[in-house]
Amino acid sequence: MLDGSTMLAGLIYWLSPARRRFMRRLAKPGLDATRARLAEAGSPRAVQFISTILDANTDFLAYALSPKGPLAMYSDRATPDTVAACIVTMLVYSANLFARDEMTNNDSEMIPLLAHIAGVKPMQVMIRRDALRKAPRSEEWMVLTWLAKDLGAEPPKYGAELERAFGYNYLSYIAQYRPTLEREMAAADTA
């Protein structure tokens, strides 16, 4: 079990100049490009939903690549290009978490939209989705290995503590955004 100091480290980092530098120097280029591709192809509902997920994932990556984060061992590999790849990987994972029903339907609008955003073919999104569903460990471990590759590193050898730390931190960050996502989805459903 992770202690309160891990949570406090996350909060302190969220308020830090280092996080703001990460967001401005490393995340902004990839985030801007991703948002532009989203605006080209997404419905208003999709733009709202995915924009919130992008914000959550980018906040998480800022912490995860910090000295106290679960991906700290890869922080020296973070560049605008590698962070942009991480943003796309996290988006596919998050969409799979929050829109699982749409993601399981090969004919849904979500798969071609994610493919457009990622700059890949829809089949590649389906392959990632299927890999998450059939992950031999946890989905979080699968994403962690993809992020390592996005950062130009070899995936780590399996470690239960690293898996727990990554999963706990990610789910904690995304949980902060759940009420916003639920409100946006409810408002879109009534519109």
Side-chain angles (χ1 to χ4, degrees):
M1 177 131 239
L2 298 173
D3 59 21
S5 65
T6 302
M7 291 173 53
L8 181 60
L11 178 62
I12 290 170
Y13 186 73
W14 192 79
L15 299 170
S16 75
R19 179 191 165 277
R20 290 194 302 275
R21 273 192 306 276
F22 175 90
M23 298 300 271
R24 185 178 59 250
R25 294 180 186 162
L26 298 174
K28 187 175 180 349
L31 199 53
D32 287 349
T34 303
R35 287 187 197 281
R37 289 190 301 272
L38 171 61
E40 291 171 2
S43 68
R45 180 180 180 199
V47 168
Q48 194 172 21
F49 173 73
I50 291 174
S51 292
T52 301
I53 288 177
L54 288 171
D55 291 341
N57 288 340
T58 306
D59 274 342
F60 171 72
L61 284 171
Y63 170 68
L65 290 165
S66 75
K68 300 245 184 209
L71 300 177
M73 67 279 230
Y74 303 121
S75 63
D76 61 330
R77 296 174 173 274
T79 66
D81 290 337
T82 60
V83 170
C86 290
I87 288 170
V88 169
T89 293
M90 296 297 296
L91 178 58
V92 171
Y93 169 63
S94 299
N96 195 53
L97 280 177
F98 286 103
R100 198 169 292 268
D101 290 341
E102 278 194 58
M103 289 293 287
T104 58
N105 179 358
N106 289 342
D107 297 325
S108 82
E109 295 175 24
M110 182 66 75
I111 291 173
L113 176 59
L114 290 175
H116 179 78
I117 292 168
V120 299
K121 294 182 176 171
M123 183 59 68
Q124 291 172 286
V125 172
M126 288 187 271
I127 289 170
R128 283 249 165 143
R129 172 208 60 200
D130 293 345
L132 285 168
R133 279 196 260 155
K134 297 173 184 172
R137 301 223 183 260
S138 67
E139 291 180 357
E140 290 77 21
W141 183 257
M142 180 68 71
V143 171
L144 191 148
T145 63
W146 290 342
L147 292 173
K149 289 177 188 174
D150 289 344
L151 291 162
E154 288 293 316
K157 293 191 185 310
Y158 177 75
E161 185 59 35
L162 178 57
E163 179 182 37
R164 260 191 310 280
F166 180 83
Y168 173 82
N169 281 284
Y170 180 74
L171 295 174
S172 294
Y173 264 86
I174 204 72
Q176 299 170 51
Y177 289 84
R178 183 177 287 277
T180 302
L181 287 166
E182 289 171 352
R183 268 193 318 277
E184 288 172 357
M185 292 300 97
D189 287 341
T190 59

